[in-house]
Amino acid sequence: DSSFLHFHESDCDIGGSSSCESMLSLNTEKILSQAKLLAEQKRFPFATDNDNTNEELAIAYVLIGNGLYDEAIRHFSTMLQEEPDLVSAIYGRGIAYGKKGLHEMKNAELALFELSRVISLEPDHPEVFEQRAEILSPLGRISEALSDLTKAIQLQPSARLYRHRATLYFISEDYATAHEDFQRSLELNRNQPIAMLYKGLTFFHRGLLKEAIESFKEALKQKADFIDAYKSLGQAYRELGNFDAATESFQKALLLNQNHVQTLQLKGMMLYHHGSLDEALKNFKRCLQLEPYNEVCQYMKGLSHVAMGQFYEGIKAQTKVMLNDPLPGQKASPEYLKVKYLREYSRYLHAHLDTPLTEYNTDIDLPGNFKDHWAKNLPFLIENYEEQPGLQPHIKDVLFQNFESYKPDVQELICVADHLGSMMQYETPGFLPNKRIHRAMGLATLEVMQAVQRTWANSKVRMNGKTRLMQWRDMFDIAVKWRRIADPDQPVLWLDQMPARSLSRGFNNHINLIRGQVINMRYLEYFEKILHFIKDRILVYHGANNPKGLLEVREALEKVHKVEDLLPIMKFNSKTRDGFTVNTKVPSLKDQGKEYDGFTITITGDKVGNILFSIETQTTEERTQLYHAEIDALYKDLTAKGKILILSAELGEVDAVCNLILSLVYYFYNLMPLSRGSSVIAYSVIMGALMASGKEVSGKIPKGKASIKISKYISSLVDFEAMTAPGSEAFSKIARSWMNLKSISPSYKSLPSVSETFPTLRTMIEVLNTDSSHCLKKTIVVV
């Protein structure tokens, strides 16, 4: 009876019944039998030339294999008392400490101590470095783990070691280096579906979606039932904006495992952002059946209910997320940070379901600090905040409205809105078509058209409880109203209505184009255009501040073909060594020769080559007033010319009105006066105001780049096109080149009034909920 077998079975007491003794002896016999075979074949690390020592070592390694770590440690320790430098025993004891659980720091320290002893005694064994890396990495000591794996690879490269190191680079968000290691691993052993999957993910995170898709497909060739590969393929197609292909991939993952929570969650989120809220809800509910405490599914379930006007169910789900308080020291989830804002906003929406939209103003009603914190996505820590009243029982939830229940002219209105909304879709990676947003912004376009026509005919409008002539902000507020209700998750708020303290500090609209190696794929098409602008500004800067070095800088800039190439240029001047900012300027139409601040481009880099490439607009009170004065002047001119146009439809007048509309929106885009949604809101105003002038946009926003006479590049994001254009006239030319303006169809005049047909939040939510498939069966004549 050796001391190493002093362990206990959970359901028997040693020294008790004979059956318990026979069970113990059976385990003993099994362990001794396995150990004998292991010793004979020397199938354990650092086997010796002594058969008896090998048998004893083998017993301890079998104990590790059976999960009896404490017994294995005792057995190794007994051997080390007799032979302190027995490498296999030191190594085995280190492995056993590691297997016991790294959640206890003592185990981790002992494991690292033992493995380091082995390395000092036997420095040429790659498996020891790999084992030490496996313990270092969960402790967050990634750089040390990477160093160990590099040493192991130097000693004996293998597919497994490259894959292991690649995984750590991936966790560190060094996707380019991770990609290189996954590739090396796959060259040594092609048949590795997991390595192929992760190779695809290194592409995905760098915005290289098509390459990612090829890798995911290759992983599926190697492993046809690879659920994670189907899930990742679905997410890549979703980012490309290919809804059908994404749906097919998610569906294949769920056919393999209908209870795969991650796929249900991702598919549900895609459906929500596609505007298919009913289908999204099914996925979130299934997800919560499997994982009742899944915060993402719970939050999205609450959001989906609220978006559809089902406030009681929505707030119930939101409250469950609020109850999941993070533990001390634990980082709060994004859902936990957002949920109280959503609950408060949901209560506000519910209270106003049946109040005429013309009689209140959300920007004025919501408390200033609440709006400020919500727009900045800050934790809900607002002093002296008074909660919105709870749900009032007399206000019922929104009921589903069948398409057929609407009158024929309203059905036509809905179908035309769907068509107009689809014209605003960006055909570029990262923008998934959202049929709910399409309908909302199509209706916004028609309402803008009708409101502008009434204004030009000297009719007043009812806004914020007052009857008066429409101002430019009222025109945009129509679109803001529809964008807000289409997705209540996003705070679409006027920045100049924020608290004065927030405005005095400046309210930043910030977009990361590249952060580290993570590329914002939505803006890839613009990198080259922005790069040209930066290179021009660098030359101007050095011409003024470093004239002697200008030639050297110019030669260096000729070799710059991508943003990363700018990093060495920073070293030419001590002030820009760690990075630099470049400001765009927006020329005034009102005061010739005057310029306003546009947006700021920032580039910083580290020694490794990771960069931050970002743009931001800073909304201050002074900047806002300058832009408002410009927009006021253009709107006044537009209204005057619009009134003339109503009386005389001369071609020159129409052309002038079109240019004024585009110029006005050019300044709106550069001001970026909203916390979210500025782009689609502005475009719906463009379309609606142009329709009021008798012109309809028949061309879609172009996909990617297209060489045309008036501009070297034309890209697919209208806001960026305005922000990077040298002036309003250039933006007008670029926009008109793809809009393909034509005379408006007379049928638009017979459409019912949008504001009268949908006068309340309830009626707006009803029309956004109603099924749109009927419109596909109708023939929409727009001539």
Side-chain angles (χ1 to χ4, degrees):
D1 289 333
S2 303
S3 61
F4 64 85
L5 288 176
H6 290 185
F7 60 92
H8 296 260
E9 291 292 323
S10 59
D11 57 348
C12 92
D13 180 20
I14 302 294
S17 66
S18 58
S19 63
C20 180
E21 288 174 10
S22 63
M23 188 181 294
L24 179 59
S25 64
L26 180 68
N27 279 343
T28 305
E29 287 173 17
K30 183 181 174 184
I31 287 168
L32 290 172
S33 169
Q34 288 177 354
K36 189 174 182 182
L37 186 64
L38 203 64
E40 286 172 358
Q41 297 176 353
K42 292 189 176 182
R43 281 177 41 233
F44 59 88
F46 302 103
T48 70
D49 295 329
N50 185 304
D51 290 344
N52 289 333
T53 302
N54 284 345
E55 276 195 32
E56 290 294 314
L57 287 167
I59 287 168
Y61 277 107
V62 170
L63 287 168
I64 291 175
N66 283 277
L68 302 166
Y69 307 125
D70 286 327
E71 289 73 17
I73 289 166
R74 281 200 290 270
H75 191 63
F76 283 130
S77 298
T78 301
M79 296 184 74
L80 286 166
Q81 284 174 357
E82 297 175 12
E83 196 175 340
D85 289 338
L86 184 59
V87 175
S88 186
I90 299 169
Y91 181 76
R93 190 162 67 176
I95 298 298
Y97 278 126
K99 296 275 188 185
K100 268 187 78 173
L102 301 180
H103 53 277
E104 286 187 29
M105 188 52 70
K106 186 181 176 185
N107 290 336
E109 288 171 354
L110 288 167
L112 290 171
F113 175 76
E114 301 289 25
L115 292 172
S116 298
R117 279 182 68 199
V118 175
I119 287 169
S120 66
L121 293 166
E122 296 281 352
D124 297 329
H125 287 264
E127 68 271 22
V128 189
F129 287 99
E130 185 180 13
Q131 284 291 345
R132 192 166 69 174
E134 283 191 4
I135 290 165
L136 287 164
S137 54
L139 299 175
R141 295 163 66 176
I142 302 294
S143 59
E144 293 171 77
L146 284 168
S147 177
D148 273 358
L149 288 168
T150 299
K151 181 66 177 173
I153 287 168
Q154 289 168 352
L155 290 166
Q156 190 178 338
S158 71
R160 187 186 71 251
L161 285 170
Y162 276 122
R163 186 181 70 238
H164 191 167
R165 190 173 69 174
T167 305
L168 292 189
Y169 280 126
F170 185 88
I171 291 166
S172 307
E173 294 189 358
D174 186 352
Y175 299 117
T177 311
H179 172 260
E180 290 172 11
D181 270 1
F182 281 126
Q183 186 59 35
R184 289 190 187 108
S185 179
L186 288 161
E187 285 167 5
L188 292 170
N189 177 7
R190 185 71 186 164
N191 189 28
Q192 293 186 84
I194 292 175
M196 188 61 75
L197 169 70
Y198 272 88
K199 178 187 167 185
L201 290 170
T202 65
F203 283 129
F204 179 87
H205 286 290
R206 287 180 292 157
L208 304 169
L209 293 174
K210 290 176 183 174
E211 291 85 347
I213 286 167
E214 289 308 308
S215 294
F216 297 148
K217 286 180 176 177
E218 188 61 36
L220 286 163
K221 284 180 189 174
Q222 295 181 12
K223 190 174 188 291
D225 61 348
F226 198 179
I227 293 174
D228 282 334
Y230 275 122
K231 177 199 74 180
S232 299
L233 185 61
Q235 192 65 355
Y237 278 128
R238 180 227 185 281
E239 288 299 326
L240 269 179
N242 189 335
F243 176 77
D244 291 337
T247 302
E248 184 184 348
S249 297
F250 286 140
Q251 208 52 45
K252 284 179 178 176
L254 291 170
L255 282 171
L256 290 166
N257 178 4
Q258 63 178 357
N259 297 333
H260 196 254
V261 171
Q262 268 192 317
T263 302
L264 288 165
Q265 180 181 307
L266 288 170
K267 186 184 174 194
M269 291 182 77
M270 180 189 73
L271 287 163
Y272 177 87
H273 292 292
H274 181 249
S276 306
L277 272 54
D278 263 333
E279 290 300 309
L281 262 175
K282 291 173 188 174
N283 284 269
F284 297 135
K285 286 176 180 176
R286 179 68 184 144
C287 165
L288 290 165
Q289 284 174 352
L290 299 164
E291 269 187 21
Y293 297 102
N294 185 307
E295 280 193 24
V296 175
C297 289
Q298 193 69 262
Y299 180 88
M300 292 304 298
K301 176 177 177 252
L303 174 60
S304 301
H305 277 304
V306 165
M308 294 171 72
Q310 299 161 2
F311 289 92
Y312 289 90
E313 282 297 319
I315 287 177
K316 193 191 299 181
Q318 292 162 20
T319 305
K320 287 180 182 177
V321 178
M322 289 173 64
L323 294 173
N324 284 344
D325 291 318
L327 298 169
Q330 185 183 9
K331 190 178 177 183
S333 69
E335 289 71 34
Y336 183 83
L337 288 173
K338 291 193 297 180
V339 72
K340 193 157 186 183
Y341 296 106
L342 179 61
R343 191 184 72 164
E344 289 300 287
Y345 187 48
S346 300
R347 287 171 165 178
Y348 173 83
L349 292 176
H350 183 262
H352 290 80
L353 268 178
D354 299 306
T355 308
L357 291 155
T358 54
E359 303 307 310
Y360 64 95
N361 184 316
T362 302
D363 283 280
I364 292 171
D365 292 347
L366 292 176
N369 284 337
F370 173 87
K371 293 188 298 177
D372 185 48
H373 280 62
W374 188 21
K376 291 175 179 173
N377 200 25
L378 297 173
F380 198 102
L381 300 169
I382 304 170
E383 287 183 21
N384 304 319
Y385 178 75
E386 190 176 326
E387 286 192 353
Q388 295 284 334
L391 298 189
Q392 298 157 54
H394 71 278
I395 302 175
K396 303 302 179 188
D397 274 352
V398 177
L399 298 175
F400 183 75
Q401 191 91 343
N402 280 318
F403 183 79
E404 290 85 356
S405 67
Y406 288 108
K407 293 177 182 176
D409 60 344
V410 177
Q411 291 182 19
E412 185 65 21
L413 182 70
I414 295 167
C415 293
V416 169
D418 285 354
H419 167 71
L420 291 172
S422 70
M423 302 291 286
M424 301 178 208
Q425 178 63 37
Y426 286 152
E427 300 290 338
T428 195
F431 290 95
L432 186 75
N434 186 325
K435 58 188 182 182
R436 194 176 181 87
I437 297 285
H438 287 174
R439 178 170 296 171
M441 302 323 293
L443 287 165
T445 297
L446 291 168
E447 190 173 343
V448 167
M449 175 193 77
Q450 292 167 348
V452 171
Q453 283 174 336
R454 286 199 305 274
T455 301
W456 289 350
N458 287 317
S459 293
K460 293 183 178 181
V461 292
R462 181 82 178 163
M463 300 288 285
N464 307 328
K466 294 177 183 176
T467 303
R468 53 179 168 76
L469 289 171
M470 186 170 74
Q471 301 302 309
W472 68 263
R473 189 194 289 263
D474 302 327
M475 183 169 63
F476 283 94
D477 257 333
I478 291 168
V480 166
K481 168 186 74 176
W482 283 102
R483 178 63 184 80
R484 271 181 186 149
I485 203 60
D487 184 4
D489 190 38
Q490 297 188 354
V492 183
L493 301 162
W494 288 95
L495 297 182
D496 67 338
Q497 300 293 308
M498 294 291 179
R501 187 179 61 177
S502 177
L503 269 181
S504 63
R505 291 175 181 170
F507 196 103
N508 291 354
N509 264 312
H510 186 95
I511 301 170
N512 283 329
L513 303 179
I514 302 176
R515 182 175 174 271
Q517 293 173 11
V518 183
I519 295 173
N520 190 332
M521 55 201 75
R522 289 185 168 191
Y523 303 98
L524 271 174
E525 298 287 356
Y526 275 86
F527 283 18
E528 192 166 353
K529 191 170 187 179
I530 294 174
L531 191 60
H532 280 293
F533 175 77
I534 293 169
K535 287 161 77 171
D536 288 341
R537 299 309 301 168
I538 289 172
L539 285 173
V540 170
Y541 174 83
H542 281 277
N545 298 284
N546 179 28
K548 290 181 181 178
L550 185 59
L551 182 62
E552 188 184 1
V553 172
R554 192 185 297 277
E555 288 173 356
L557 283 172
E558 286 173 6
K559 298 171 185 173
V560 171
H561 302 293
K562 53 186 188 294
V563 178
E564 301 92 290
D565 297 342
L566 286 169
L567 296 180
I569 309 289
M570 295 178 186
K571 311 295 185 287
F572 282 102
N573 188 296
S574 59
K575 290 181 181 177
T576 63
R577 187 166 291 136
D578 299 319
F580 58 82
T581 60
V582 178
N583 297 304
T584 64
K585 294 295 179 183
V586 177
S588 169
L589 276 178
K590 186 169 69 73
D591 301 313
Q592 292 297 318
K594 193 174 179 180
E595 290 183 323
Y596 308 133
D597 287 333
F599 64 92
T600 301
I601 305 164
T602 302
I603 299 179
T604 58
D606 59 21
K607 292 175 184 176
V608 184
N610 287 325
I611 67 172
L612 175 64
F613 176 36
S614 64
I615 64 163
E616 67 179 26
T617 54
Q618 191 171 40
T619 303
T620 60
E621 192 170 1
E622 182 187 2
R623 181 176 180 273
T624 300
Q625 285 175 357
L626 290 169
Y627 274 88
H628 279 193
E630 198 75 31
I631 296 171
D632 283 339
L634 284 164
Y635 184 75
K636 185 179 179 182
D637 202 3
L638 173 63
T639 305
K641 283 194 166 50
K643 288 178 178 179
I644 295 168
L645 187 65
I646 293 286
L647 302 172
S648 166
E650 288 184 20
L651 189 61
E653 293 293 346
V654 175
D655 206 46
V657 166
C658 289
N659 285 333
L660 281 168
I661 291 164
L662 291 167
S663 294
L664 188 152
V665 175
Y666 164 78
Y667 288 101
F668 180 92
Y669 276 129
N670 278 284
L671 174 59
M672 280 288 167
L674 296 165
S675 57
R676 298 281 194 288
S678 291
S679 185
V680 72
I681 284 165
Y683 202 65
S684 62
V685 168
I686 290 175
M687 289 179 66
L690 285 171
M691 287 166 71
S693 74
K695 290 292 179 183
E696 183 186 354
V697 174
S698 65
K700 294 200 79 171
I701 300 166
K703 184 175 183 177
K705 296 174 186 172
S707 180
I708 56 172
K709 292 178 182 177
I710 57 170
S711 174
K712 187 175 180 185
Y713 295 103
I714 178 169
S715 307
S716 50
L717 305 184
V718 187
D719 50 354
F720 256 55
E721 204 57 66
M723 291 162 71
T724 54
S728 60
E729 188 179 341
F731 170 66
S732 294
K733 284 182 180 178
I734 290 166
R736 290 181 73 157
S737 71
W738 80 66
M739 285 180 172
N740 191 21
L741 296 179
K742 63 179 186 180
S743 295
I744 195 169
S745 165
S747 62
Y748 283 115
K749 290 183 179 177
S750 62
L751 292 174
S753 163
V754 176
S755 60
E756 290 173 13
T757 308
F758 310 112
T760 61
L761 279 177
R762 183 184 298 279
T763 52
M764 288 173 73
I765 295 171
E766 283 172 352
V767 73
L768 295 182
N769 287 348
T770 198
D771 185 18
S772 62
S773 59
H774 301 276
C775 292
L776 300 174
K777 298 166 190 172
K778 284 174 166 277
T779 305
I780 302 171
V781 181
V782 186
V783 294

